[in-house]
Amino acid sequence: MENINKIRSVKDLNYKLRVAYEEAKKDPDFKAMTDKINLSDDELMKSTTSIEDSVLEVKNCKNCKGLPMCKNSMNGYCYMPILKNGKLEFSYVSCRYKNKLIEDTKYQQNVTSIDIPKEIKEAKIKDIYTDDKGREKVIKWILNYVKAYKEGNIKKGLFLHGNFGCGKTYLIAALFNELAKYKVKSVIVYWPEYLRSLKSTFQSSSNDEFKNKYNELKYAKLLLIDDLGAEGVTAWGRDEILGTILQYRMQEGLPTFITSNLNIKELEEHLSITTSNKSERVKAVRIIERIKQLTQDTQMLGENKRK
């Protein structure tokens, strides 16, 4: 009796699948899609719902004007049937707009960003806000730097300091992204978080992760140390990490950029840890001298874009 009930249940399910499939085939788009799949109706009817979903997404794609208008379940992708080894599978396939975006932003793979917001990662020269006169000098410097670098005239970077939110990091990230189009590799790192994460790897059982994170900055073709002066200063972070990275880059002539809310004198005070200890002051001065050798000291005051 139990076997008879199972047989009836299977027959009922197949009947329902058949009815749903035949109903779906009344849609010419559904029929057009199934006609292209080299499978019998008995096999296709098992995937009626998935095929319907695919048909809907294909329709959406036909009328789509761009990624912001995408109506599909996954932006920039279409749910498509794929026949593999006689089995029907479904996969998300990128659309023409998504493919163009991927191609247009491929250069960003040349920029390694560590604890940096998406807006900074995607910074572009063409999107730089030029109405603020306080930024004009730096923008001109950046445009000239791109031109000079492409011509093989590699100059020292910037120590760019100024008020909070005036766009210091964005401008240098835009410079790096522009050079990335010419396969110039660079690293942008948010310094306070980098030190915290580096310290955690240093204390782990394996030293490989620490070495990789440290060397990534030390040997970077272009380096931006973002928000120097916002970190909690320790002798280890200042002397063993920052000092040795800057020393190597100074010796090898590797372009280095630094952003800070502190000017060079304020940064020296910050790095001194304690102003009453003469040896600490000397160590801070050494760091500052390396920064001066590596960068051009430039102030930028502008509107706070983060309001």
Side-chain angles (χ1 to χ4, degrees):
M1 188 67 180
E2 186 178 342
N3 288 336
I4 293 173
N5 288 335
K6 284 183 179 179
I7 292 169
R8 284 177 180 170
S9 179
V10 170
K11 285 183 177 180
D12 288 344
L13 177 60
N14 286 337
Y15 175 75
K16 289 177 182 177
L17 288 173
R18 174 68 66 177
V19 169
Y21 177 70
E22 293 299 333
E23 186 64 27
K25 281 182 72 174
K26 293 177 182 178
D27 179 355
D29 292 312
F30 184 97
K31 187 174 185 308
M33 181 174 284
T34 53
D35 285 347
K36 292 177 182 177
I37 304 171
N38 188 24
L39 283 177
S40 67
D41 286 345
D42 287 341
E43 288 297 319
L44 288 168
M45 71 181 190
K46 297 173 185 177
S47 303
T48 299
T49 301
S50 293
I51 297 171
E52 286 178 319
D53 290 342
S54 180
V55 168
L56 176 60
E57 296 216 340
V58 169
K59 286 179 181 178
N60 289 339
C61 283
K62 285 180 181 177
N63 300 316
C64 186
K65 302 299 181 184
L67 290 177
M69 282 71 74
C70 179
K71 294 180 179 179
N72 288 347
S73 56
M74 188 180 292
N75 187 274
Y77 293 85
C78 187
Y79 190 59
M80 295 293 292
I82 298 171
L83 193 60
K84 275 188 181 180
N85 301 320
K87 254 184 106 178
L88 188 60
E89 299 178 0
F90 290 83
S91 179
Y92 287 97
V93 179
S94 53
C95 70
R96 64 188 184 280
Y97 298 117
K98 187 67 174 181
N99 288 335
K100 185 177 187 304
L101 178 65
I102 292 170
E103 186 61 33
D104 290 347
T105 57
K106 192 183 290 184
Y107 67 88
Q108 291 179 356
Q109 296 172 6
N110 291 319
V111 183
T112 300
S113 301
I114 305 172
D115 297 305
I116 295 295
K118 182 181 178 184
E119 178 195 8
I120 301 300
K121 291 179 184 178
E122 298 177 352
K124 298 180 180 66
I125 292 282
K126 69 179 183 65
D127 293 337
I128 289 175
Y129 181 73
T130 57
D131 292 348
D132 189 343
K133 295 297 181 183
R135 295 151 50 97
E136 189 175 337
K137 178 183 174 183
V138 177
I139 292 170
K140 285 181 179 178
W141 188 95
I142 283 171
L143 294 175
N144 289 332
Y145 192 92
V146 170
K147 184 174 182 293
Y149 197 102
K150 283 159 56 179
E151 292 172 351
N153 184 12
I154 302 174
K155 302 177 181 179
K156 65 163 86 174
L158 281 183
F159 170 65
L160 187 58
H161 57 93
N163 59 290
F164 177 82
C166 66
K168 301 182 293 294
T169 309
Y170 188 96
L171 290 177
I172 297 174
L175 161 63
F176 282 17
N177 277 331
E178 187 64 26
L179 290 176
K181 296 175 184 177
Y182 303 91
K183 299 182 179 179
V184 179
K185 293 188 177 295
S186 58
V187 175
I188 302 174
V189 58
Y190 178 61
W191 189 247
E193 183 56 38
Y194 171 78
L195 282 180
R196 282 192 287 270
S197 62
L198 189 67
K199 189 174 183 179
S200 68
T201 62
F202 182 71
Q203 294 170 337
S204 66
S205 56
S206 171
N207 233 10
D208 288 344
E209 188 180 357
F210 171 83
K211 288 178 182 177
N212 290 338
K213 288 173 77 74
Y214 173 78
N215 288 337
E216 192 167 32
L217 270 62
K218 183 178 178 179
Y219 300 121
K221 197 164 186 179
L222 283 173
L223 173 64
L224 167 58
I225 297 175
D226 182 42
D227 217 0
L228 182 62
E231 77 285 1
V233 182
T234 64
W236 175 80
R238 180 194 61 195
D239 304 329
E240 300 300 321
I241 306 303
L242 179 62
T244 54
I245 288 173
L246 294 180
Q247 179 67 24
Y248 179 84
R249 297 185 67 79
M250 185 178 70
Q251 291 171 346
E252 298 300 318
L254 294 170
T256 305
F257 293 74
I258 298 169
T259 65
S260 181
N261 292 330
L262 307 177
N263 62 34
I264 203 76
K265 186 63 180 174
E266 291 167 336
L267 184 61
E268 182 181 319
E269 294 289 332
H270 172 75
L271 292 171
S272 295
I273 303 179
T274 169
T275 55
S276 60
N277 188 317
K278 187 177 179 181
S279 66
E280 291 298 322
R281 169 71 71 179
V282 169
K283 291 173 183 178
V285 169
R286 284 177 184 162
I287 298 290
I288 295 301
E289 287 305 313
R290 289 167 187 161
I291 290 173
K292 288 178 178 178
Q293 288 291 320
L294 279 165
T295 65
Q296 177 181 317
D297 186 352
T298 303
Q299 183 181 47
M300 185 176 78
L301 301 175
E303 297 175 26
N304 185 350
K305 307 298 177 187
R306 300 186 197 176
K307 287 180 181 178

